[in-house]
Amino acid sequence: MKTKTNVKTTNLSRRNFIVSTAAAGGGLALGFYLPFGSAEAKSAAGAGSEVNAWVVIKPDNTCVIRVARSEMGQGTITGLVQLVAEELECDWKKVQAEQVTPGQNLARKRVWGEMGTGGSRGIRTSEDYVRRGGAVARLMLMQAAADQWKVPLGELTTADGVITHAASKRSTTYGKVAAAAAKLTPPDAKSIKLKDPRTWKIAGKPMKRLDTADKLNGSKIYGVDVKLPGMLNAAIKQCPVFGGKLVSYDEAKISGMPGVKRAVKVNDWTVAVVADTWWHAKTALDALPIVWDEAGNGSRSSATIADNLKEGLNAPTAYAFRNEGDALKAIAGAAKKVEAVYSTPFLAHATMEPMNCTARISTAGRAEIWVPTQNGEASLAALSEAAGLPLDRCEVYKQDLGGGFGRRGGNQDFVRQAAAIAKQFLDVPIKMIWSREEDMTHAYYRPISQCKLAAGLDESGKLVGLHVRVSGQSINAFVNPASIADGKDDRQLQGYSEKPGDAQLGYAVPNLLIEYSMRNSHVPVGPWRGVNTNQNGVYMECFIEEVARAAGKDSLEFRRSMMAKFPKHLAVLNAAAEKGNWGSPLAPGVHRGIAQFMGYGSYSAAVAEVSVSAQGVLKVHRMVLALNCGHAVNPDQIAAQVEGSVAYGLSAALYGECTIENGRVVETNFDKYRIMQLAEMPKVETVIVPTYDFWGGVGEPTICVVIPSVLNAIQAATGKPVRSLPLKNVKLVA
């Protein structure tokens, strides 16, 4: 429904807004001085003074630091606050974090930058301007004190929120000068020299997280906890076969059920029941007779998808991502050849909190949502489009996420659904929650793929040629088909790049051919923690292990022999090997595996220690992971993210797969999609090796070395490579 209003709308189309928010950190309007003026700004500041967009100082010296990124357990809020506080030089014990809304960001010309939290870029792509925000605020506070005392700015120093003039032995607090500082013209943010990270006192230290207490005492409000006056609840059901349509439903069959308001069509493939409670809505939805059109996809299965991928491996042509030298000729003429085919399955995100969104659309022509989202601006754009209202008539209240892993990023299906339902219940808040079954069977899955590899060794065991062909689904082809031409999708070969940067391959091979055969299915795909570095790390590192063994070389030394041109890759490999005691004796029956890979601008390596019993039972005893993310903002959070990568990666390696029968996902709940249990978690040791010369990611990089290091240790234990996942389908015996 579109409601006419006399309110002036922002001159920014939804399309342009979506495009601009998709560009990570590109073209941001970064004005740092936005003093009080609007009622909204005054309300946001509360009893404090807004020195600039990032910093609000209260009279008691409390520093409220605003954050635009989303929090889903990865610690981004604490890390960003540390960076601002470091340059601000405030008292960490008096720091508070405050989330800004996409509507506020839009109204203030995107002063807080882009709000997407994915690709391990929450800190690395915003570190510069948030640090400058803190530095500008500090200088303005100092200038206010200098003006008050009529002394040169250069004679003042700051520490822990106190400004000192040593010559006159005077001091004051930020809280006392904040109101005056807020009225000053700010210095040019770009002219400020930021601190050397080696001198950090707040950033770079293992500060306690700011978002822990309310999680421990149960006061944290997640999206599923939102309660609003007069709220109704909605449960949805989508066509179980991907690509299918909703034909009809018989609402009369549920009209008398407890609490039911009515059934509504959400879109062409989704129906919802709205009731007083979610359980009443879900119970009625299960009883609702629905007719689906499977659109010819009901006969598709894992077997037919696998056949399509296999065809891609052997197709006469494919997109050549890298073609250096003549790999095929070198392999054909090599003294020894090694060949293998690997495969990895679809994976669901399996967030503990299922998809949900609470929406309210008013007859006054405003739309609001309360939603756990990885991209508040994408949620705002989706709400605007679904509600048919201008962007500046919409608002998004971000909730902390009960898990994201990429699922709550660009694909804002849950926002569109909630808005579509709310449009049919104007002025009534509608809380829509997906059931676990709906969440598991309507994800945007990690792409399925297969990989065929061939290598040639000379008489001395040197790798002279390597051919890699990946056949699999394309995320870009699904989410933005116009961006793909002639099957060329570099994203699906993440981790194999020649150039330094986000995901460089850390081996020098004289003859190298890396290809991609795009083979899409009807199953929707999207980013999954680590995205394509996970599969590609398995393919490359497990095959390198096979080649090393065929050459009769030590796994570590064989890798080192190809890494002279890649010092950062080599450094993390050496760090993991040293901490992992590579080459030292192990307990009887325990074996080691090693792997290194790059993703999200960071360098990772891992050593795994495993045992395999005579009955084929695997136990992962210990994992050592090394990470160079350039700058380490909070070592404790980095270690926690590494441990999370181990848990997430091992769950995928051991049990993770989504299979397709009759066009639909078989694994409908955690009874079929098993998650690793606490007793299966190995000891994890993290080695951080920062080089202080770049900004890399943390949340995703190490997951790509978890699985191959374990698989390589299994090969050491059994003498046989593992080439398909998950391990629950593999008989692990020598």
Side-chain angles (χ1 to χ4, degrees):
M1 184 192 80
K2 294 185 178 180
T3 304
K4 293 182 179 180
T5 69
N6 294 320
V7 178
K8 182 179 179 181
T9 63
T10 301
N11 186 23
L12 178 64
S13 70
R14 284 188 290 269
R15 171 176 166 74
N16 289 338
F17 184 72
I18 295 169
V19 170
S20 64
T21 59
L28 301 178
L30 300 177
F32 286 99
Y33 179 57
L34 289 173
F36 291 127
S38 67
E40 179 181 333
K42 291 180 180 179
S43 174
S49 298
E50 181 183 285
V51 181
N52 65 11
W54 302 97
V55 178
V56 173
I57 308 291
K58 296 184 178 181
D60 66 357
N61 227 30
T62 296
C63 291
V64 179
I65 296 175
R66 293 178 175 143
V67 180
R69 305 287 179 167
S70 297
E71 181 60 60
M72 48 190 157
Q74 81 281 31
T76 291
I77 286 181
T78 300
L80 288 172
V81 170
Q82 283 182 260
L83 289 174
V84 176
E86 178 65 49
E87 296 292 342
L88 181 61
E89 295 189 359
C90 60
D91 184 352
W92 180 256
K93 295 188 293 294
K94 287 183 170 289
V95 164
Q96 296 176 356
E98 179 181 88
Q99 285 265 6
V100 299
T101 70
Q104 291 169 336
N105 199 31
L106 178 64
R108 300 175 71 166
K109 299 181 180 179
R110 300 187 74 214
V111 63
W112 289 284
E114 65 108 359
M115 303 181 76
T117 310
S120 296
R121 66 178 189 268
I123 288 178
R124 63 178 172 135
T125 62
S126 54
E127 53 81 19
D128 183 77
Y129 59 82
V130 303
R131 292 161 69 200
R132 293 188 187 279
V136 166
R138 176 175 56 83
L139 288 176
M140 293 171 69
L141 291 161
M142 293 173 68
Q143 187 64 60
D147 292 346
Q148 179 181 322
W149 292 332
K150 294 180 172 49
V151 299
L153 179 67
E155 294 182 4
L156 303 183
T157 59
T158 58
D160 295 330
V162 176
I163 305 169
T164 301
H165 184 239
S168 62
K169 298 183 179 180
R170 284 180 289 184
S171 65
T172 188
T173 65
Y174 285 178
K176 291 179 180 179
V177 299
K183 300 175 183 177
L184 297 175
T185 300
D188 179 11
K190 295 181 179 179
S191 69
I192 297 174
K193 183 178 180 180
L194 299 175
K195 293 183 180 182
D196 183 340
R198 293 175 178 83
T199 69
W200 282 345
K201 297 178 181 178
I202 296 176
K205 306 301 179 184
M207 298 298 189
K208 293 182 179 179
R209 287 178 55 155
L210 302 174
D211 63 332
T212 300
D214 56 357
K215 294 176 182 175
L216 295 178
N217 64 28
S219 63
K220 169 69 70 179
I221 301 297
Y222 291 94
V224 293
D225 301 319
V226 169
K227 293 181 181 179
L228 298 173
M231 186 175 73
L232 294 177
N233 295 267
I236 71 160
K237 185 172 290 186
Q238 302 167 86
C239 183
V241 175
F242 302 115
K245 301 291 184 181
L246 171 65
V247 176
S248 64
Y249 55 90
D250 189 355
E251 185 177 4
K253 298 293 185 181
I254 63 167
S255 60
M257 295 185 69
V260 171
K261 304 304 178 182
R262 69 177 193 263
V264 297
K265 180 179 179 180
V266 180
N267 53 41
D268 287 343
W269 58 92
T270 311
V271 63
V273 171
V274 177
D276 56 351
T277 69
W278 185 82
W279 185 247
H280 282 155
K282 172 66 165 56
T283 301
L285 183 62
D286 289 341
L288 181 68
I290 306 172
V291 178
W292 305 106
D293 175 5
E294 298 183 355
N297 292 329
S299 61
R300 300 196 183 190
S301 67
S302 291
T304 61
I305 293 171
D307 288 343
N308 190 36
L309 298 180
K310 184 177 180 180
E311 183 276 327
L313 291 181
N314 300 303
T317 59
Y319 164 51
F321 174 65
R322 293 180 64 177
N323 191 0
E324 300 150 24
D326 193 334
L328 299 181
K329 182 178 179 181
I331 295 169
K336 180 178 285 190
K337 303 173 189 176
V338 185
E339 295 180 333
V341 174
Y342 284 78
S343 64
T344 54
F346 290 118
L347 291 176
H349 302 82
T351 61
M352 288 306 295
E353 179 190 25
M355 299 304 107
N356 68 89
C357 179
T358 299
R360 178 169 59 198
I361 299 177
S362 72
T363 51
R366 294 197 62 87
E368 303 168 285
I369 56 171
W370 291 256
V371 62
T373 177
Q374 288 182 239
N375 192 329
E377 291 182 308
S379 295
L380 184 67
L383 174 62
S384 172
E385 184 176 19
L389 294 169
L391 288 165
D392 60 357
R393 301 291 291 173
C394 301
E395 185 56 284
V396 175
Y397 306 107
K398 297 190 299 177
Q399 311 296 309
D400 280 8
L401 287 65
F405 314 120
R407 177 62 180 91
R408 291 180 155 106
N411 297 312
Q412 296 286 318
D413 48 340
F414 42 93
V415 169
R416 293 185 177 87
Q417 291 168 348
I421 299 169
K423 283 178 69 175
Q424 302 177 64
F425 292 83
L426 292 178
D427 296 320
V428 178
I430 302 293
K431 180 162 74 171
M432 180 205 68
I433 302 176
W434 289 24
S435 67
R436 176 62 60 191
E437 289 76 12
E438 202 68 26
D439 199 79
M440 290 296 300
T441 59
H442 288 86
Y444 292 88
Y445 304 88
R446 190 191 75 172
I448 192 171
S449 62
Q450 295 180 11
C451 184
K452 185 177 182 180
L453 306 101
L457 296 165
D458 65 13
E459 293 82 356
S460 67
K462 179 183 177 181
L463 180 61
V464 295
L466 178 63
H467 179 203
V468 180
R469 179 182 284 194
V470 175
S471 176
Q473 285 202 237
S474 162
I475 294 173
N476 286 346
F478 181 79
V479 300
N480 187 16
S483 69
I484 299 298
D486 302 323
K488 298 179 180 180
D489 186 0
D490 294 352
R491 184 182 190 180
Q492 296 308 122
L493 297 174
Q494 185 183 19
Y496 293 160
S497 178
E498 175 186 8
K499 298 178 181 179
D502 194 72
Q504 181 185 34
L505 179 63
Y507 298 121
V509 183
N511 299 282
L512 178 65
L513 175 60
I514 300 179
E515 299 176 302
Y516 177 58
S517 290
M518 186 183 297
R519 294 296 184 272
N520 296 319
S521 77
H522 73 305
V523 179
V525 293
W528 182 96
R529 186 177 182 177
V531 196
N532 298 304
T533 59
N534 295 320
Q535 306 94 298
N536 295 335
V538 168
Y539 301 150
M540 181 60 66
E541 284 302 291
C542 290
F543 188 65
I544 288 293
E545 185 71 18
E546 290 198 51
V547 177
R549 292 177 179 275
K553 303 292 182 67
D554 173 76
S555 302
L556 174 60
E557 294 306 324
F558 186 75
R559 287 173 169 80
R560 283 173 170 168
S561 70
M562 300 182 289
M563 298 176 69
K565 295 181 179 179
F566 306 97
K568 285 188 170 70
H569 291 79
L570 181 58
V572 294
L573 180 68
N574 287 337
E578 180 181 358
K579 182 69 173 179
N581 311 112
W582 188 266
S584 66
L586 282 161
V590 179
H591 300 266
R592 290 192 183 98
I594 196 166
Q596 71 84 23
F597 211 63
M598 183 187 184
Y600 303 94
S602 293
Y603 304 83
S604 303
V607 171
E609 295 178 3
V610 314
S611 62
V612 180
S613 72
Q615 293 74 36
V617 178
L618 170 70
K619 181 173 179 59
V620 183
H621 299 270
R622 177 191 182 211
M623 294 207 67
V624 175
L625 294 101
L627 175 70
N628 179 8
C629 54
H631 299 287
V633 174
N634 189 316
D636 279 1
Q637 288 183 186
I638 292 173
Q641 283 297 288
V642 169
E643 291 159 8
S645 289
V646 171
Y648 209 64
L650 285 184
S651 283
L654 294 168
Y655 309 113
E657 68 172 340
C658 291
T659 57
I660 308 298
E661 288 182 9
N662 300 319
R664 64 202 76 198
V665 171
V666 173
E667 292 74 19
T668 58
N669 210 316
F670 288 128
D671 59 334
K672 297 178 181 177
Y673 194 85
R674 182 176 167 184
I675 304 299
M676 187 178 72
Q677 298 178 354
L678 185 61
E680 297 173 284
M681 186 70 179
K683 178 182 179 182
V684 180
E685 299 170 50
T686 300
V687 184
I688 305 172
V689 286
T691 50
Y692 301 103
D693 57 344
F694 68 96
W695 288 84
V698 171
E700 293 167 284
T702 53
I703 196 171
C704 66
V705 292
V706 170
I707 299 176
S709 64
V710 169
L711 298 186
N712 290 341
I714 292 172
Q715 183 173 180
T718 65
K720 296 179 180 179
V722 177
R723 294 174 175 168
S724 65
L725 292 172
L727 290 168
K728 70 176 185 179
N729 299 332
V730 180
K731 189 175 182 181
L732 299 179
V733 292

